[in-house]
Amino acid sequence: MRLVSYLSGGSARVGCVKGDKVVDLSACDPQIPSTMRGLIEGGDAAMARVKDALADPSASNSFDLGALTLLPVVTDAPKILCVGLNYVDHAKEGGNAVPDYPGMFMRSNRSMIGHGEPMVRPHASDTLDYEAELLVIVGRGGRHISQADALSHVFGYSICNDGSVRAYQRKGAQWTPGKNFDGTGAVGPWIVTPDELPEGADGLTIRSRLNGEVMQNSNTKNMIFKVPHVIAIASEFTTLEPGDMIAMGTPEGVGYPRNPPVFMRPGDVVEVEIEDIGVLRNPVIDESDAVPREARR
């Protein structure tokens, strides 16, 4: 099942992708929550209603997928956790040691956009870099989750472009500034439920393309810390909540270590593709051309 957050009447709605259509789930059944976070918090009971609604041949509340404005898959995630240096060759290309414990940081919701929305190169720096990443969406929350039980806490998987303003990422020991400029990261286009993917989304080809040129080309099997390990470690220090998103790190091929470095510029189009999930595509604009989030929605 593929689930999307989209804009309708100025508010976020949740739908299911069926071919080139999106079914408005809460229009089919008013007891289905109208937002992705609400659906996730509704647990098994809410998902059972979704399946019943989709099986009803009279359900006709659908829209053309291409005509919708897609939003970040969870528009109001309680937390966005990110793993750094989770591929050996990516660690090496930047001159970093291969970690024996995942480096983790957080992003804000305001730093993230949806599929098709423009990524924003800020006034402060022209060093906006791309990062193709697998995204995990937490379903059942918890603390001190074991690796053996971790995958039962996953609601689904999506795609992340962990756009990074490299000059600001390296101004200090912490990465927070470079990872949290408004509109510099992207997630989407939809959430794929675990039943449609290999266990832990392992063994999937992951690529990024900049203006059609392949920049990164790897496989999620090459992650140092796999999904169950990261969930277990994250739940040691924080209570995971339904709707939390975890970006699983990027493979080699990012822009800053290249000679010369390659950074995204206004007019570029960047794509991240993960096998069996889809393609996350975003244009790039300058901050001076960006429309404030409140005006867009």
Side-chain angles (χ1 to χ4, degrees), residues 24-33 49-50 52-53 61:
D24 184 334
L25 294 174
S26 59
C28 296
D29 179 352
Q31 294 192 56
I32 297 175
R49 284 192 167 274
V50 168
D52 288 344
N61 298 284

Side-chain angles (χ1 to χ4, degrees), residues 214-260:
V214 175
M215 309 301 282
Q216 296 173 278
N217 188 9
S218 188
N219 193 290
T220 58
K221 70 182 180 182
N222 296 325
M223 292 188 298
I224 301 168
F225 305 101
K226 302 296 180 70
V227 172
H229 196 177
V230 169
I231 288 174
I233 287 176
S235 72
E236 289 178 355
F237 67 83
T238 187
T239 299
L240 293 180
E241 301 169 81
D244 282 347
M245 299 193 292
I246 306 174
M248 291 293 298
T250 198
E252 68 279 5
V254 297
Y256 79 88
R258 292 172 178 265
N259 187 17

Side-chain angles (χ1 to χ4, degrees), residues 113-275:
I113 58 170
H115 172 81
E117 289 191 83
M119 298 179 74
V120 179
R121 188 182 74 171
H123 290 319
S125 175
D126 62 1
T127 59
L128 179 61
D129 205 349
Y130 52 85
E131 291 193 18
E133 306 200 8
L134 174 70
L135 186 73
V136 178
I137 296 87
V138 174
R140 185 162 57 94
R143 186 81 190 276
H144 304 301
I145 299 167
S146 69
Q147 288 193 53
D149 191 41
L151 292 181
S152 70
H153 291 257
V154 174
F155 179 78
Y157 299 91
S158 189
I159 303 170
C160 177
N161 186 342
D162 183 29
S164 306
V165 182
R166 297 299 188 188
Y168 276 74
Q169 184 182 350
R170 288 171 172 74
K171 277 184 177 289
Q174 301 299 318
W175 293 0
T176 300
K179 297 286 188 175
N180 280 282
F181 278 80
D182 286 1
T184 51
V187 292
W190 42 61
I191 296 173
V192 178
T193 51
D195 57 295
E196 295 197 6
L197 298 172
E199 185 174 87
D202 198 26
L204 301 178
T205 301
I206 179 170
R207 297 188 179 99
S208 66
R209 291 184 290 269
L210 187 60
N211 301 322
E213 180 182 354
V214 175
M215 309 301 282
Q216 296 173 278
N217 188 9
S218 188
N219 193 290
T220 58
K221 70 182 180 182
N222 296 325
M223 292 188 298
I224 301 168
F225 305 101
K226 302 296 180 70
V227 172
H229 196 177
V230 169
I231 288 174
I233 287 176
S235 72
E236 289 178 355
F237 67 83
T238 187
T239 299
L240 293 180
E241 301 169 81
D244 282 347
M245 299 193 292
I246 306 174
M248 291 293 298
T250 198
E252 68 279 5
V254 297
Y256 79 88
R258 292 172 178 265
N259 187 17
V262 174
F263 295 117
M264 294 187 291
R265 300 174 296 179
D268 287 346
V269 175
V270 60
E271 297 173 305
V272 178
E273 180 175 10
I274 300 181
E275 181 183 3

Side-chain angles (χ1 to χ4, degrees), residues 25-41:
L25 294 174
S26 59
C28 296
D29 179 352
Q31 294 192 56
I32 297 175
S34 60
T35 66
M36 190 71 76
R37 183 170 171 187
L39 180 63
I40 296 170
E41 290 174 339

